[in-house]
Amino acid sequence: YSFNSNPVTVSAVGNLDYAGFSSAYEGCVGGTFTLTLSQAQVVDVYVQIVITGTAANGTDYTAIPTSVLIPAGQTVASIDLNPLEDGIAEGMESVTIATVNPCTGGVSSSATINIRDNTPATISATDTTLCLGQSTQLDANGGITYSWTPTTGLSNPNIKNPVATPSVTTTYTCNMTFGACTKTVSQTIYVGNPTASITANPAGIICNGGTVQLTAASTGVSPYSYLWSTGATTPVINVTTGGAYN
């Protein structure tokens, strides 16, 4: 076998077949390096490779050997890159595999895959407390595919950001997939059909100069805010003059 007449080239690809995602991701998405001979040989070909990059072989990803076999009669061998989840925010790291010309010692071909931290799963809502008949938009992040339960009141249970119009207080759970990972997040949307009332103590008629304590109450979802016709913002006020208060 002559390396000069039958060189080995290296190519690389991330394993997440989705627009905008070309990297590998810790614990979830791997990558593949492919070594390709220009033509098949009648004997096994052992290719010596050099592994470099900012990610550590055997620490940040499953250990990759420095010699790869391309069997007789074949032209291709694959090397799997399996990033390991370490729970440490490290930013983007790289893995480069190169083939070396044994005659010159120079790099013949190389390819690189970047490893990124796992994307955390998050969920939010434009408003978590609604009156009956109102809507809010949910928004989940950290996946590629999304599935919401329960589906009741959702505009679309299979997108990342459905509009929710629940008729009762509901906890929505989003199950998302990201490569080999499944993530789950939940958000409770509170629904109320509030009524308000005011009670007076003492009730009825009082003499001039007396004081009446007015207390506002609601059946809605707390916390509440108050604004009396007097300008007061507390749930209880004391009044000393007759009149209508709201």
Side-chain angles (χ1 to χ4, degrees):
Y1 165 70
S2 170
F3 189 95
N4 287 330
S5 60
N6 294 291
V8 179
T9 58
V10 186
S11 59
V13 63
N15 291 344
L16 189 61
D17 185 17
Y18 194 83
F21 293 89
S22 58
S23 300
Y25 289 81
E26 289 186 355
C28 295
V29 179
T32 302
F33 292 94
T34 302
L35 307 183
T36 304
L37 268 172
S38 58
Q39 66 181 59
Q41 302 296 296
V42 297
V43 296
D44 292 343
V45 176
Y46 288 89
V47 181
Q48 300 300 312
I49 61 174
V50 176
I51 305 168
T52 58
T54 55
N57 190 11
T59 300
D60 292 313
Y61 53 93
T62 303
I64 295 175
T66 57
S67 179
V68 179
L69 168 65
I70 300 179
Q74 299 183 25
T75 59
V76 172
S78 295
I79 303 171
D80 292 330
L81 176 66
N82 298 307
L84 301 174
E85 174 65 76
D86 56 17
I88 302 172
E90 300 165 300
M92 188 174 69
E93 300 174 291
S94 64
V95 182
T96 299
I97 286 183
T99 56
V100 177
N101 187 323
C103 300
T104 65
V107 172
S108 173
S109 178
S110 67
T112 299
I113 296 177
N114 293 320
I115 300 176
R116 299 179 184 272
D117 295 332
N118 187 7
T119 304
T122 61
I123 189 171
S124 63
T126 54
D127 197 342
T128 59
T129 302
L130 306 176
C131 290
L132 185 64
Q134 290 183 321
S135 299
T136 186
Q137 186 161 48
L138 302 169
D139 188 26
N141 288 283
I144 297 297
T145 65
Y146 299 86
S147 177
W148 295 82
T149 57
T151 61
T152 304
L154 294 182
S155 59
N156 186 335
N158 297 310
I159 60 175
K160 68 183 294 293
N161 55 348
V163 174
T165 313
S167 58
V168 295
T169 295
T170 303
T171 297
Y172 288 104
T173 298
C174 182
N175 294 298
M176 62 187 81
T177 62
F178 185 71
C181 294
T182 300
K183 311 173 187 180
T184 301
V185 288
S186 296
Q187 176 69 62
T188 299
I189 304 299
Y190 299 93
V191 178
N193 189 18
T195 60
S197 62
I198 298 175
T199 58
N201 184 29
I205 300 173
I206 62 169
C207 298
N208 287 336
T211 298
V212 175
Q213 186 178 76
L214 301 178
T215 302
S218 175
T219 61
V221 179
S222 62
Y224 310 119
S225 61
Y226 302 86
L227 179 61
W228 292 87
S229 54
T230 63
T233 57
T234 56
V236 178
I237 62 173
N238 294 309
V239 297
T240 57
T241 58
Y245 295 89
N246 54 64

